[in-house]
Every structure is written in C-alpha cells, then in structure tokens.
Amino acid sequence: MTVEYDKDLSRHNTFGLKVSCACYVEFGSEDELRKIYGAAGEFGFPQPFLHIGSGSNLLFTRDFPGTVFHSAIRFVRPLDSKEKRPGEDDVILVEVGSGVLWDDFCAWCADRGLWGPENLSGIPGEVGSAAVQNIGAYGVEVKDIVKEVRCLDVVTGEIRILPAKECRYGYRDSIFKDTAKGRYVVTSVVFMLSSTPAPRLEYGHVREAVEKVCGPVPVPASQGNSCSPGPDTQSETEWPEALTPGLVRGTVIGIRDSKLPDPSVTGNAGSFFKNPVVPKSSYSIVENYAKGRYGEGYSVPHFDMGSGFIKIPAAWLIEQCGWKGYLEGNVGVYEKQPLVIVNVTGKAVPDEIIALENKIVHSVSEKFGITLHPEVEHV
C-alpha cells in the first residue's frame, strides 16, 4: 500500500485538470483493501472516500477534500472449466484484476484469438471502472461479456461475487453507480470469451473497413450472445480466414483514432454526454427540423429501442446547434467529434468545462426540447 498526502491529480484525470486531493492511497490486494475499511480509525485517512481508475470518465469540479483510492490489483487469470455453468462449453472464462488497463486486456484477448472485447478496444480506463460504467462502443457493451464482478462490501467488510444480472446493467449504468454507489469496491471481473468467431460489425463503418481486408463477411441469422454462439449461428458460419479479433481490434482503434483526440495530447474524457433515449413524439420534432433543413429525403441518425423510444446520437444534436469546433478560452468542442469537450490549452480549470457543458445542454434543450445528461461523472 502506498500513501501520499496533498497529491496532485493532474496525471490521474484525462482532462489534465490541475486538481489535488488531501490523500491518495493505492492498494494492491483485497487484504489491503479490507484493512483500509476495517481499520479506518487506525489509518486516519481523511473522508470522504473516492475510488477511481485512470480518471478517464471523471470531471473533478474542484480539489477533492478527502482520500482518493486507486487499485493496483493487476492480473489476468484464465479459469478452470469446472467454474463454468451448464451450457457454457464454448465459453472461456478469464478473471482480470480491477487495476489492469482495459485496452491491455483487449490486446491480451486479441493476441490469443479470443473474441469478446475487440469492439471495445482503445477505450481508456481500467477493468474495474469498465465494469462500473458499463462501457460501450460499436454495438457492444461490457455487460455482454461480464459473467460476475468480485468486490468488497464496505458495509459488511466481506468479499461478494455479484453475477452480471445482479449488477443491473443499463446504458452506461450499473448498481455501482446507482442504488449501491459507494458500497462496493470492485477488485476483479470474470469475463466470458470465446475462441469461436463472433464478430459484431454492424455499427458505424466497422464492417466496411474489415471487409476491405478480408473480403465479404457473412451476417449470422441471429447474433445471440457474442460469447455464446448457438449451433445454428456463429459456430456453423464459414468465416474468412483473415477475420480475427486482432483485425477487428485494429479496425476499431483506427476508427477511434480518426475521430477522437488522444488524451495524452489533448485533455478530454471521451464522450462527454450520453446519447438521449426519447419518446417517438420527441424524435418527430427532431425529424421535422432535419427535413426542413436538409430536405424530405434526409434521415436523422437514430436507433429504435422498441416500446416507443428512439435513441438519437448526442453528437448529431450538438452539431446541429453549431458547437462542433467551438473554442472559448482554454476549452472547446473537438472539431472531429462534437461529443467531446477538450482542454485545448492544457490550462483549463473545472469551471470552464462546466460552463461550456451548461451552454451545450441549454442550446440542445432550447432547439429540440431534449435534455442531455453527462456520461462523465462529476466529482
């Protein structure tokens, strides 16, 4: 366990904001984590407590007055077949420590020809944060491959194993961010992977880019669970020999790099806002606006969620309000992706980012009657 006081957090948030915390603690095992909570009086760490990963989905709104904890639990461990449930013969289970960099795990899988997280390649952050946030990209969410999450219950001091169902995963949401926020500290995650090809290529330009390399790729009649191919879907499909998790991973990273700024160069937290899910009546307002501006043949990008709800890309709404490429002081909106707020000069302070966030939310609400909500957690 390492302990530092008056810690500069500039390198622990991808916005690169110069903020600090009263105390910073890094733990390397569940035993150390237990000691932190079981003997808080002995250590005397200042409260409140905050657990972070790489700070890739955080906006520090000010200096943090308490203790910031970070996991240094780092391992990748394939599990024995005895830990599988009936019907999981084709599933490869792998347990990963919460402090492992998410993209390092994606690379580990691709190097071994294992399918599952390849569409999520290039997302910054760590495995523990990925399970808390339910990260998603290119048609896949991490919940699709999570079997269970191992965590410390800080109320009881016991280690709990939560099956994915009990994590109550939703769009960029989970029990860890909602009803049980602050109660559980993730120490490791068990993922369900597959050596049987299970490509998800239908989102964005992934299929187009992949097929330039390996030729036409069939679309299974039913995708099913990406890591549990059924007898008449992935397992019986004839896939091109060149189609590998590594190919999909490289394709996704290439697309991401062409659209998103590198946080090591330009401070940002990736997608700042969630894509709003609205009733069809609200979508009709957006559609009428678009047809009036671009013509009757124009189709607003959207995804039918069923039950009368439509998901609209927040980036499209923000761009319609004129924010793409906007600059103001030390902050701005990325010129290639309006969903990303950037620390342009590297000298931004939290209030500048919050002010720009509020202006964007107000303009979208005024034009479309839709309220955007941040994906980035404000601390």
Side-chain angles (χ1 to χ4, degrees), residues 15 260-262 266-270 272 325-335 337 339-346 348 352-353 356:
F15 263 120
L260 300 173
D262 182 346
T266 305
N268 72 92
F272 196 94
Y326 177 84
L327 297 175
E328 181 178 344
N330 294 306
V331 299
V333 177
Y334 192 50
E335 67 272 13
Q337 172 52 272
L339 198 55
V340 180
I341 293 177
V342 290
N343 179 358
V344 179
T345 65
E352 291 179 284
I353 294 174
L356 180 54

Coordinates of all heavy atoms in Angstrom, one line a residue, residues 15 260-262 266-270 272 325-335 337 339-346 348 352-353 356:
F15 N -8.7 14.7 -18.3 CA -8.9 16.1 -18.7 C -7.6 16.9 -18.5 O -7.4 18.0 -19.0 CB -10.0 16.8 -17.9 CG -11.3 16.8 -18.7 CD1 -12.4 16.2 -18.2 CD2 -11.4 17.5 -19.9 CE1 -13.6 16.2 -18.8 CE2 -12.7 17.5 -20.6 CZ -13.8 16.9 -20.0
L260 N -11.4 10.7 -32.4 CA -11.3 11.1 -31.0 C -9.9 11.6 -30.7 O -8.9 11.0 -31.2 CB -11.7 9.9 -30.1 CG -13.1 9.4 -30.2 CD1 -13.3 8.2 -29.4 CD2 -14.1 10.5 -29.8
P261 N -9.7 12.6 -29.9 CA -8.4 13.1 -29.5 C -7.7 12.2 -28.5 O -8.4 11.6 -27.7 CB -8.7 14.5 -28.9 CG -10.1 14.3 -28.4 CD -10.8 13.4 -29.3
D262 N -6.4 12.1 -28.6 CA -5.6 11.4 -27.7 C -5.5 12.2 -26.4 O -5.0 13.3 -26.4 CB -4.2 11.1 -28.3 CG -3.3 10.3 -27.4 OD1 -3.6 10.1 -26.2 OD2 -2.3 9.9 -27.9
T266 N -4.3 16.0 -25.9 CA -5.3 17.0 -25.7 C -6.3 16.4 -24.6 O -6.9 15.4 -24.8 CB -6.1 17.3 -26.9 OG1 -5.3 17.7 -28.0 CG2 -7.2 18.4 -26.7
G267 N -6.3 17.1 -23.4 CA -7.1 16.6 -22.3 C -8.6 16.5 -22.7 O -9.2 17.4 -23.2
N268 N -9.1 15.3 -22.4 CA -10.6 15.1 -22.6 C -11.0 13.8 -21.8 O -10.1 13.1 -21.4 CB -10.9 15.0 -24.1 CG -10.4 13.7 -24.7 OD1 -11.1 12.7 -24.7 ND2 -9.1 13.7 -25.1
A269 N -12.3 13.6 -21.7 CA -12.8 12.4 -21.1 C -13.6 11.6 -22.0 O -14.6 10.9 -21.6 CB -13.6 12.8 -19.8
G270 N -13.3 11.7 -23.3 CA -14.1 10.9 -24.3 C -15.5 11.5 -24.5 O -15.7 12.7 -24.4
F272 N -18.6 13.0 -23.7 CA -19.0 13.8 -22.5 C -20.5 13.5 -22.2 O -20.8 13.5 -21.0 CB -18.7 15.3 -22.7 CG -18.8 16.1 -21.5 CD1 -17.6 16.3 -20.8 CD2 -19.9 16.5 -20.9 CE1 -17.6 17.0 -19.6 CE2 -20.0 17.2 -19.7 CZ -18.8 17.5 -19.1
G325 N -16.2 22.2 -33.1 CA -15.1 23.0 -33.4 C -15.1 24.3 -32.6 O -14.2 25.2 -32.8
Y326 N -16.0 24.5 -31.7 CA -16.2 25.8 -30.9 C -15.0 25.9 -29.9 O -14.6 24.9 -29.3 CB -17.5 25.8 -30.2 CG -17.7 26.9 -29.3 CD1 -18.2 28.1 -29.8 CD2 -17.4 26.9 -27.9 CE1 -18.5 29.2 -28.9 CE2 -17.7 27.9 -27.1 CZ -18.2 29.1 -27.6 OH -18.4 30.2 -26.8
L327 N -14.5 27.1 -29.8 CA -13.4 27.4 -28.9 C -13.8 28.6 -28.0 O -14.4 29.6 -28.4 CB -12.1 27.7 -29.6 CG -11.5 26.6 -30.5 CD1 -10.3 27.2 -31.2 CD2 -11.1 25.5 -29.6
E328 N -13.5 28.5 -26.7 CA -13.7 29.6 -25.8 C -12.7 29.5 -24.6 O -12.7 28.6 -23.8 CB -15.1 29.5 -25.2 CG -15.4 30.6 -24.2 CD -16.9 30.5 -23.7 OE1 -17.7 29.8 -24.3 OE2 -17.1 31.2 -22.7
G329 N -11.8 30.4 -24.6 CA -10.7 30.4 -23.6 C -9.9 29.2 -23.7 O -9.3 28.9 -24.8
N330 N -9.8 28.4 -22.6 CA -9.0 27.2 -22.6 C -9.7 25.9 -23.0 O -9.1 24.9 -23.0 CB -8.4 27.0 -21.2 CG -7.5 28.1 -20.8 OD1 -6.5 28.4 -21.5 ND2 -7.8 28.7 -19.6
V331 N -11.0 26.0 -23.3 CA -11.8 24.8 -23.6 C -12.4 24.9 -25.0 O -12.5 26.0 -25.6 CB -12.9 24.6 -22.5 CG1 -12.2 24.4 -21.2 CG2 -13.8 25.7 -22.4
G332 N -12.9 23.8 -25.4 CA -13.6 23.8 -26.7 C -14.3 22.5 -27.0 O -14.3 21.6 -26.1
V333 N -14.9 22.4 -28.1 CA -15.6 21.2 -28.6 C -14.8 20.6 -29.8 O -14.4 21.3 -30.7 CB -17.0 21.4 -29.1 CG1 -17.7 20.2 -29.6 CG2 -17.9 22.0 -27.9
Y334 N -14.4 19.4 -29.7 CA -13.5 18.8 -30.6 C -14.0 18.9 -32.1 O -15.2 18.7 -32.3 CB -13.2 17.3 -30.3 CG -12.1 16.7 -31.0 CD1 -10.8 17.3 -31.1 CD2 -12.3 15.5 -31.7 CE1 -9.8 16.7 -31.8 CE2 -11.2 14.9 -32.4 CZ -10.0 15.5 -32.4 OH -8.9 14.9 -33.1
E335 N -13.1 19.3 -33.0 CA -13.6 19.6 -34.3 C -14.0 18.4 -35.1 O -14.7 18.5 -36.1 CB -12.4 20.3 -35.1 CG -11.2 19.5 -35.4 CD -10.2 19.6 -34.3 OE1 -10.5 20.1 -33.2 OE2 -9.0 19.2 -34.5
Q337 N -15.4 15.5 -33.5 CA -16.4 14.8 -32.8 C -17.0 15.7 -31.7 O -16.4 16.0 -30.7 CB -15.8 13.6 -32.1 CG -16.7 12.8 -31.2 CD -18.1 12.5 -31.7 OE1 -19.0 13.3 -31.6 NE2 -18.2 11.3 -32.3
L339 N -19.1 15.4 -29.6 CA -19.5 14.8 -28.3 C -18.4 15.0 -27.3 O -18.6 14.7 -26.1 CB -19.8 13.3 -28.5 CG -20.6 12.5 -27.5 CD1 -21.9 13.2 -27.2 CD2 -20.8 11.1 -27.9
V340 N -17.2 15.5 -27.7 CA -16.1 15.5 -26.9 C -15.7 17.0 -26.5 O -15.5 17.8 -27.4 CB -14.8 14.9 -27.6 CG1 -13.6 15.0 -26.7 CG2 -15.2 13.4 -27.9
I341 N -15.7 17.3 -25.2 CA -15.2 18.6 -24.7 C -13.7 18.4 -24.5 O -13.3 17.4 -23.8 CB -16.0 19.0 -23.5 CG1 -17.4 19.3 -23.8 CG2 -15.3 20.3 -22.8 CD1 -18.3 19.7 -22.6
V342 N -12.9 19.4 -24.9 CA -11.5 19.3 -24.8 C -10.9 20.4 -24.0 O -11.4 21.6 -24.0 CB -10.8 19.2 -26.2 CG1 -11.1 17.9 -26.8 CG2 -11.2 20.4 -27.0
N343 N -9.8 20.1 -23.3 CA -8.9 21.1 -22.6 C -7.9 21.5 -23.6 O -6.8 20.9 -23.7 CB -8.3 20.4 -21.4 CG -7.4 21.4 -20.6 OD1 -7.2 22.5 -21.0 ND2 -6.8 20.9 -19.5
V344 N -8.2 22.5 -24.4 CA -7.5 22.9 -25.6 C -6.0 23.3 -25.2 O -5.1 22.8 -25.9 CB -8.2 24.0 -26.3 CG1 -7.4 24.4 -27.6 CG2 -9.6 23.6 -26.8
T345 N -5.9 24.1 -24.3 CA -4.6 24.7 -23.9 C -3.8 23.9 -22.9 O -2.6 24.1 -22.6 CB -4.7 26.1 -23.4 OG1 -5.4 26.1 -22.2 CG2 -5.4 27.0 -24.5
G346 N -4.6 23.0 -22.2 CA -4.0 22.2 -21.1 C -4.0 23.0 -19.8 O -3.5 22.6 -18.8
A348 N -7.0 24.6 -18.7 CA -8.4 24.8 -18.3 C -8.6 24.5 -16.8 O -7.9 23.7 -16.2 CB -9.3 23.9 -19.1
E352 N -14.5 26.2 -16.3 CA -14.6 26.5 -17.7 C -15.3 25.3 -18.4 O -16.1 25.6 -19.3 CB -13.2 26.7 -18.3 CG -12.5 28.0 -17.9 CD -11.1 28.1 -18.5 OE1 -10.2 27.4 -18.0 OE2 -11.0 28.9 -19.4
I353 N -15.0 24.1 -18.0 CA -15.6 23.0 -18.6 C -17.1 22.9 -18.3 O -17.9 22.6 -19.1 CB -14.8 21.7 -18.2 CG1 -13.4 21.7 -18.8 CG2 -15.6 20.4 -18.7 CD1 -12.6 20.6 -18.3
L356 N -19.1 25.5 -20.3 CA -19.3 25.0 -21.7 C -20.4 23.9 -21.7 O -21.2 23.9 -22.6 CB -18.0 24.6 -22.3 CG -18.1 24.1 -23.8 CD1 -18.8 25.1 -24.7 CD2 -16.7 23.7 -24.3

